[in-house]
Amino acid sequence: MGIDEYGGGQGPQSDVLVVTTNDVPGYRVQQVIGEVFGLTVRSRHLGSQIGAGLKSMIGGELKGLTKTLVQTRNQAMERLVEQARARGGNGVLMFRFDVTEAADVGTEVCAYGTAVVLVKA
């Protein structure tokens, strides 16, 4: 798997800055919009499940599941950014992911944070 298959995050041209911190150096928060989140639930592919079961017996990375989780996280983050933008924000502070099992049929990924309007200080 190449770096693009297991990496994530924003590209350099995004109009909504997403950070895990409380503030952004060089900017001040002009307005707090509130909580935003992006949510997605993915079911597991039968082939991945069988491969993961076999791989778990001998050890090593479950590359198929890793790739699926990366895609799922990226989709949740894209939805978070869309929601922040739709509500008038240009930043998301305190960005986090929450990952849980969804009724034994898939994985729920929620990207969340606080949408804000940032201005240069």
Side-chain angles (χ1 to χ4, degrees):
M1 284 189 344
I3 189 72
D4 291 338
E5 293 180 299
Y6 63 89
Q10 293 185 290
Q13 303 302 322
S14 181
D15 61 328
V16 177
L17 180 63
V18 179
V19 298
T20 59
T21 56
N22 291 328
D23 51 19
V24 180
Y27 291 84
R28 67 177 178 79
V29 175
Q30 181 180 40
Q31 177 186 358
V32 174
I33 295 170
E35 179 190 13
V36 288
F37 64 91
L39 181 66
T40 186
V41 179
R42 294 274 178 107
S43 63
R44 294 190 184 103
H45 182 275
L46 181 59
S48 293
Q49 286 293 87
I50 293 170
L54 294 172
K55 189 73 165 187
S56 68
M57 290 189 278
I58 59 172
E61 181 181 7
L62 307 174
K63 291 184 179 184
L65 292 178
T66 299
K67 187 174 179 179
T68 298
L69 184 56
V70 166
Q71 292 169 344
T72 304
R73 287 172 62 123
N74 286 342
Q75 183 179 47
M77 186 172 181
E78 288 169 11
R79 291 177 177 176
L80 165 109
V81 168
E82 288 172 13
Q83 190 179 67
R85 186 183 298 119
R87 293 179 61 193
N90 67 349
V92 176
L93 305 179
M94 295 300 296
F95 168 73
R96 301 286 187 268
F97 280 114
D98 185 46
V99 180
T100 58
E101 290 298 312
D104 292 330
V105 295
T107 302
E108 172 190 327
V109 175
C110 182
Y112 63 96
T114 302
V116 297
V117 175
L118 296 169
V119 294
K120 289 226 183 231

